[in-house]
Amino acid sequence: MQNTLKVYRTKFVWSFIHFLVGSLFLFIVATWLFFSWFNHGRYLLTDLVGITVIILSIDLILGPIFNFWLLSPLKSKRENSINFGCILMLQIVSLAYGITQIDGQRLAYIVKWQNSYFTVLKSEDRRVNHEEALYHFNEPTVQSNERAFYEMMIKHAVPPIEMYEYFVEVPLSSECNESPCEVISKSGLVKLKSTKEGMVFF
């Protein structure tokens, strides 16, 4: 009985250490991602907090659970090393998938269409390369050569705010600098202010 308790106590200690190290590592990763990708209020444009909590929690919980299940002081050092390597690989894959999902929530661009500003995230951007910018939507006039292509995209459920073919880039300094603009985002209305540091959302 004592040996069994000792084994489970050791397994718990290993799992707890795994949890602490994983928490520290994920905190560093999450902090870096937040201040690199979602600074100046960009986190307000999407449900970033909910997505991040779900993804990072799964990655944080998986490791210690598998650690407790697969590692044991009764197993050989080689067997524990192989099992621990598999756990780490699973966590790395899970974290990479999570970061990919979070990356898709980054701001791709803002487009002004019919006197309203809309945010489009990277996961919604039809372009391969994403560069944060501000555009005006230049709708093709009726009976113009480009109108047929425009109407075809409408029929294929491509919204105008994703039709980069008709975007005209405008300098950020020419919009929303004197007074904030209201931007329509996935999480509702967010105010945008053009500053020397770039776009600031609040």
Side-chain angles (χ1 to χ4, degrees):
M1 183 67 178
Q2 283 185 333
N3 287 337
T4 303
L5 288 175
K6 186 176 180 181
V7 168
Y8 278 101
R9 187 163 50 244
T10 302
K11 287 164 74 74
F12 177 79
V13 169
W14 288 354
S15 298
F16 185 67
I17 292 172
H18 193 142
F19 178 80
L20 290 179
V21 173
S23 298
L24 178 61
F25 176 75
L26 289 178
F27 175 77
I28 293 170
V29 170
T31 302
W32 180 78
L33 291 178
F34 181 83
F35 288 105
S36 299
W37 291 353
F38 301 98
N39 58 340
H40 299 303
R42 283 169 177 78
Y43 66 92
L44 296 171
L45 305 177
T46 183
D47 184 22
L48 176 67
V49 175
I51 294 170
T52 304
V53 167
I54 292 171
I55 292 172
L56 295 185
S57 294
I58 290 173
D59 196 64
L60 186 62
I61 293 168
L62 275 178
I65 288 177
F66 280 113
N67 189 313
F68 189 85
W69 179 33
L70 296 176
L71 303 187
S72 171
L74 300 178
K75 295 180 180 179
S76 67
K77 185 177 180 181
R78 182 175 181 275
E79 189 176 359
N80 278 329
S81 298
I82 293 172
N83 288 338
F84 187 68
C86 292
I87 293 169
L88 284 182
M89 284 299 297
L90 179 64
Q91 283 193 282
I92 290 170
V93 171
S94 175
L95 180 61
Y97 174 77
I99 291 175
T100 302
Q101 297 302 307
I102 293 172
D103 179 59
Q105 299 301 306
R106 294 170 63 184
L107 174 65
Y109 59 83
I110 294 174
V111 59
K112 185 178 182 180
W113 176 59
Q114 295 185 348
N115 296 321
S116 295
Y117 295 91
F118 296 85
T119 60
V120 175
L121 306 178
K122 286 184 67 175
S123 59
E124 304 164 331
D125 194 353
R126 293 172 51 238
R127 301 173 298 180
V128 176
N129 298 317
H130 315 275
E131 186 173 349
E132 197 173 286
L134 178 63
Y135 300 101
H136 284 179
F137 182 76
N138 186 20
E139 184 175 334
T141 56
V142 178
Q143 295 183 344
S144 64
N145 293 332
E146 295 181 336
R147 188 71 184 189
F149 183 65
Y150 168 76
E151 291 179 353
M152 183 194 72
M153 284 198 289
I154 291 289
K155 289 180 181 178
H156 284 83
V158 179
I161 61 172
E162 295 178 21
M163 296 182 188
Y164 64 85
E165 294 87 351
Y166 305 110
F167 289 173
V168 177
E169 187 171 354
V170 295
L172 185 61
S173 57
S174 67
E175 305 269 339
C176 312
N177 51 4
E178 294 182 2
S179 60
C181 300
E182 286 191 336
V183 179
I184 300 171
S185 70
K186 291 291 183 184
S187 58
L189 286 177
V190 179
K191 289 186 178 180
L192 164 65
K193 179 79 173 176
S194 297
T195 68
K196 293 180 180 179
E197 297 178 349
M199 292 185 282
V200 176
F201 301 88
F202 56 96

